[in-house]
């Protein structure tokens, strides 16, 4: 069998799909059991596609539909062979344009030709044209015809303001001036500007001292200036309007350069301002006045109390120059005068006080009993210090107690309230027990050795008497002063070599009477 088929896209025959035109054969077994040949004669018809590009103004109608915006549009149809036909429209919508122009012109520019339209007065005109896209273009002109302007001004200035700059001109005298300029609408129309200029004479600068110099903390004087139009006007800056008729007093509290300005006014004009410069120089910075105490016998260096580096300086006391302030031993009021490179002066005063001489008194050399408390007797200071201290109950007392077993020399350092010191010593001889210790001879020959005869009192509180008799029983010496002794004279006459008799009676520190009699040999 032969089958002829004409179809779109593809065809399925006996289980097989075909998509191209051709003749296809298949073998089968027929009903009689013999070969059966089947032939397919296939014709494939193809769909079609078309694209249309359109550019138009405002809108476009395509296949019954109107489009007003640019885009790509698609529609489906059946072509001549009965298959699908796809149609595509690519449309571009071109728009009409509208413009408005505003123009200012001067009367001399009339008549004004605009797009072939002649205009002679202020107003609006509209024309329709074809724009660059080939569509309608609506153009509107708003035309303004400006007129020539005239202005008149008056200016009154002072001569110090000359030259007066007016519209690019430098004017130096009173008068009437005019100039033709483009007016404010900037279209080149004439604008006539007139000026009546009045130049008033400015007064001259006031006369004054231009430079005034002070030292810091000096008493300043009121500034002054003279001129033809008092009162003067005072300012604290070269420009500005704040002024006063009261001349200022410059401050000298801080060093530096200060500017003041003065002018005068004749009722119409003010003079230029005269600059007054006030210079305040630093003073030397000496330290404050001071009081200095030194110990008796020492000296003071006044110079180290003050920093005078880079300064000229001098010292005085009682209006007398002091040439060596580094070594002062006399109390009094001393004045330092220092001058810096700006000739500014500062002074300082030192009250030099010499402390009274400290006199340490450790007492008289004395005797003590071995291992028996003995009280030292010191004086002369505010504080005390004894040495050696290990045998004392308190070495910082004026009258400490010592227990001795051998002769000891004590050293006493006394100090006043200002730290000034002195040193004294005392020798305490130690004897075995409380009694009188008497030599057996003495030599009153005036050589300073063994010239007096007196007992050594150990542990004696009070001396009742110490008496010396010659061999005839005549009393030739007597005292109850424990420190006195016999010098070998009687009524001023030197006594001969001989044996003499003595007797001593006293009360010891425990209240017991002590008596001793014996002989003493006077040697020449």
């Amino acid at each position: 069998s032969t089958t002829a088929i004409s179809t779109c896209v593809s065809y399925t025959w006996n289980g097989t799909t075909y998509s191209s035109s051709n003749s296809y054969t298949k073998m089968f077994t027929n009903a009689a059991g013999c070969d059966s040949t089947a032939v397919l004669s296939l014709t494939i018809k193809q769909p079609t596609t078309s694209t249309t590009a359109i550019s138009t103004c405002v809108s476009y109608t395509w296949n019954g539909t109107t489009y007003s915006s640019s885009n790509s549009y698609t529609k489906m149809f059946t072509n001549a062979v009965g298959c699908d036909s796809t149609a595509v429209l690519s449309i571009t919508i071109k728009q009409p344009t509208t413009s408005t122009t505003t123009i200012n012109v001067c009367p001399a520019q009339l008549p004004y030709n605009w797009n072939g339209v002649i205009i002679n007065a202020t107003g609006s005109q509209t024309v329709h044209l074809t724009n660059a896209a080939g569509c309608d273009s609506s153009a509107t002109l708003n035309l303004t015809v400006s007129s020539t302007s005239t202005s008149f001004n008056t200016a009154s200035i002072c001569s110090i303001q000359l030259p007066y700059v007016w519209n690019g001109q430098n004017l130096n005298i009173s008068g009437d001036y005019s100039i033709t300029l483009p007016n404010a609408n900037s279209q080149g129309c004439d604008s006539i500007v007139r000026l009546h200029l009045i130049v008033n004479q400015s007064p001259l600068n006031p006369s004054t001292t231009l430079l005034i110099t002070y030292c810091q903390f000096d008493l300043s004087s009121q500034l002054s200036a003279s001129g033809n139009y008092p009162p003067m006007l005072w300012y604290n800056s070269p420009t500005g309007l704040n002024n006063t008729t009261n001349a200022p007093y410059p401050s000298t509290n801080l060093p530096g350069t200060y500017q003041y300005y003065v002018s005068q006014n004749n009722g119409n004009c003010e003079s230029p301002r005269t600059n007054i410069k006030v210079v305040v120089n630093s003073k030397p910075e000496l330290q404050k006045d001071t009081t200095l105490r030194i110990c008796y016998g020492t000296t003071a260096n006044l110079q180290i109390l003050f920093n005078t580096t880079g300064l000229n300086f001098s010292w005085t006391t009682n209006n007398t120059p002091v040439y060596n302030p580094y070594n002062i031993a006399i109390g009094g009021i001393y004045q330092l005068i220092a001058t810096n490179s700006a000739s500014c002066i500062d002074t300082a005063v030192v009250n030099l006080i010499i402390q009274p001489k400290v006199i340490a008194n450790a007492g008289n050399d004395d005797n003590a009993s071995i291992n028996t408390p003995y009280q030292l007797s010191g004086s002369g200071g505010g504080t005390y210090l004894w040495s050696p201290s290990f045998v004392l109950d308190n070495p910082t007392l004026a009258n400490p107690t010592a227990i001795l077993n051998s002769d000891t020399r004590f050293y006493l350092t006394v100090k006043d309230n200002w730290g000034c010191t002195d040193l004294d010593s005392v020798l305490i001889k130690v004897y075995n027990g409380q009694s009188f210790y008497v030599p057996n001879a003495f030599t009153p020959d005036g050589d300073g050795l063994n010239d007096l005869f007196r007992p050594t009192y150990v542990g004696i509180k009070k001396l009742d008497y110490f008496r010396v008799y010659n061999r005839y029983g005549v009393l030739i010496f007597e005292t109850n002063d424990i420190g006195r002794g016999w010098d070998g004279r009687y009524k001023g006459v030197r006594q001969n070599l001989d044996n003499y008799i003595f007797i001593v009676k006293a009360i010891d520190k425990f209240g017991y009477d002590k008596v001793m009699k014996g002989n003493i040999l006077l040697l020449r």
Side-chain angles (χ1 to χ4, degrees):
S1 64
T2 297
T3 303
I5 295 297
S6 180
T7 185
C8 297
V9 183
S10 63
Y11 181 72
T12 299
W13 178 63
N14 289 312
T16 301
T17 299
Y18 302 96
S19 58
S20 61
S21 298
N22 210 330
S23 179
Y24 301 95
T25 301
K26 279 193 173 189
M27 299 299 293
F28 302 95
T29 300
N30 60 15
C34 296
D35 288 338
S36 175
T37 301
V39 176
L40 172 65
S41 178
L42 179 64
T43 300
I44 300 298
K45 299 178 288 183
Q46 298 298 323
T48 58
T49 299
S50 66
T51 299
T52 304
I54 296 296
S55 178
T56 185
C57 298
V58 184
S59 64
Y60 181 73
T61 300
W62 178 61
N63 289 310
T65 302
T66 299
Y67 302 95
S68 59
S69 60
S70 298
N71 210 329
S72 181
Y73 303 94
T74 300
K75 281 195 173 187
M76 301 299 295
F77 302 95
T78 300
N79 60 14
V81 295
C83 293
D84 287 341
S85 175
T86 302
V88 177
L89 173 67
S90 176
I91 186 170
T92 300
I93 301 298
K94 300 178 289 184
Q95 300 297 325
T97 56
T98 300
S99 65
T100 300
T101 303
T102 299
I103 296 178
N104 292 320
V105 299
C106 300
Q109 295 175 280
L110 296 177
Y112 187 77
N113 187 333
W114 178 70
N115 288 313
V117 178
I118 303 301
I119 305 173
N120 289 285
T122 298
S124 295
Q125 296 287 338
T126 300
V127 296
H128 290 276
L129 306 170
T130 300
N131 63 12
C135 297
D136 183 46
S137 173
S138 174
T140 300
L141 171 67
N142 295 322
L143 182 68
T144 300
V145 179
S146 301
S147 60
T148 301
S149 62
T150 301
S151 63
F152 183 83
N153 299 296
T154 298
S156 180
I157 65 170
C158 296
S159 58
I160 63 171
Q161 297 174 280
L162 294 175
Y164 182 74
V165 179
W166 179 69
N167 290 308
Q169 303 181 61
N170 292 332
L171 309 181
N172 288 286
I173 59 175
S174 299
D176 293 314
Y177 301 89
S178 66
I179 190 172
T180 300
L181 302 170
N183 63 13
N185 63 24
S186 71
Q187 295 300 313
C189 303
D190 288 341
S191 175
I192 300 174
V193 182
R194 301 182 185 277
L195 172 68
H196 178 63
L197 179 64
I198 301 171
V199 179
N200 299 299
Q201 185 61 41
S202 300
L204 299 176
N205 297 58
S207 298
T208 186
T209 302
L210 301 181
L211 177 63
I212 302 172
T213 302
Y214 289 106
C215 290
Q216 191 177 6
F217 304 122
D218 283 354
L219 181 65
S220 65
S221 300
Q222 188 177 26
L223 298 180
S224 63
S226 60
N228 297 324
Y229 306 98
M232 301 296 105
L233 303 178
W234 295 91
Y235 299 87
N236 57 12
S237 63
T239 60
L241 301 177
N242 295 327
N243 64 67
T244 178
T245 56
N246 296 320
Y249 287 86
S251 172
T252 62
N253 291 335
L254 296 174
T257 300
Y258 302 90
Q259 309 287 348
Y260 298 87
Y261 302 86
V262 61
S263 67
Q264 58 179 335
N265 194 312
N266 61 11
N268 291 316
C269 294
E270 186 176 349
S271 71
R273 297 181 188 182
T274 299
N275 177 214
I276 301 173
K277 183 184 294 184
V278 176
V279 177
V280 179
N281 294 308
S282 298
K283 290 185 67 174
E285 294 186 1
L286 298 177
Q287 287 74 16
K288 294 181 179 180
D289 298 347
T290 186
T291 296
L292 177 63
R293 293 178 182 268
I294 62 174
C295 298
Y296 180 87
T298 64
T299 60
N301 183 354
L302 303 182
Q303 191 61 36
I304 65 173
L305 300 175
F306 303 95
N307 181 12
T308 56
T309 302
L311 304 176
N312 294 321
F313 64 90
S314 62
W315 287 89
T316 60
T317 180
N318 295 325
N319 296 319
T320 302
V322 176
Y323 298 106
N324 186 10
Y326 309 95
N327 190 20
I328 303 296
I330 300 174
I333 303 298
Y334 293 83
Q335 185 180 46
L336 170 62
I337 303 174
T339 306
N340 62 15
S341 58
S343 299
C344 294
I345 298 173
D346 193 15
T347 61
V349 172
V350 178
N351 180 16
L352 180 61
I353 299 174
I354 309 297
Q355 281 295 103
K357 183 178 181 180
V358 177
I359 300 176
N361 185 0
N364 298 322
D365 292 348
D366 203 359
N367 305 308
S369 298
I370 189 169
N371 295 326
T372 301
Y374 177 85
Q375 188 172 43
L376 297 171
S377 180
S379 63
T383 61
Y384 298 84
L385 183 63
W386 293 85
S387 68
S389 60
F390 65 91
V391 295
L392 302 174
D393 61 343
N394 188 341
T396 63
L397 297 178
N399 304 308
T401 298
I403 297 179
L404 306 173
N405 55 21
S406 63
D407 294 350
T408 303
R409 179 172 291 279
F410 288 96
Y411 295 90
L412 173 62
T413 300
V414 297
K415 183 185 295 184
D416 67 7
N417 294 333
W418 294 95
C420 300
T421 62
D422 191 29
L423 180 67
D424 192 24
S425 67
V426 62
L427 176 62
I428 306 299
K429 291 187 175 182
V430 177
Y431 293 88
N432 189 16
Q434 299 173 157
S435 184
F436 311 112
Y437 295 87
V438 183
N440 55 16
F442 76 113
T443 58
D445 52 9
D447 65 355
L449 298 174
N450 202 23
D451 285 334
L452 287 179
F453 167 49
R454 65 181 179 187
T456 296
Y457 305 99
V458 178
I460 299 303
K461 179 180 179 182
K462 177 184 178 184
L463 176 63
D464 288 336
Y465 56 81
F466 166 43
R467 295 170 182 167
V468 179
Y469 299 87
N470 62 16
R471 67 173 57 238
Y472 305 107
V474 177
L475 178 64
I476 60 175
F477 176 78
E478 181 180 23
T479 183
N480 62 358
D481 184 349
I482 202 169
R484 286 187 64 197
W486 181 44
D487 62 358
R489 295 174 183 269
Y490 176 56
K491 296 182 179 180
V493 178
R494 297 176 62 184
Q495 299 300 298
N496 296 323
L497 182 152
D498 204 348
N499 275 305
Y500 295 84
I501 302 167
F502 71 86
I503 181 171
V504 181
K505 182 177 184 297
I507 301 173
D508 68 15
K509 64 193 320 183
F510 300 109
Y512 296 107
D513 289 337
K514 293 285 185 178
V515 178
M516 177 182 285
K517 295 180 181 179
N519 296 321
I520 182 69
L521 176 63
L522 187 155
L523 299 174
R524 292 292 183 186

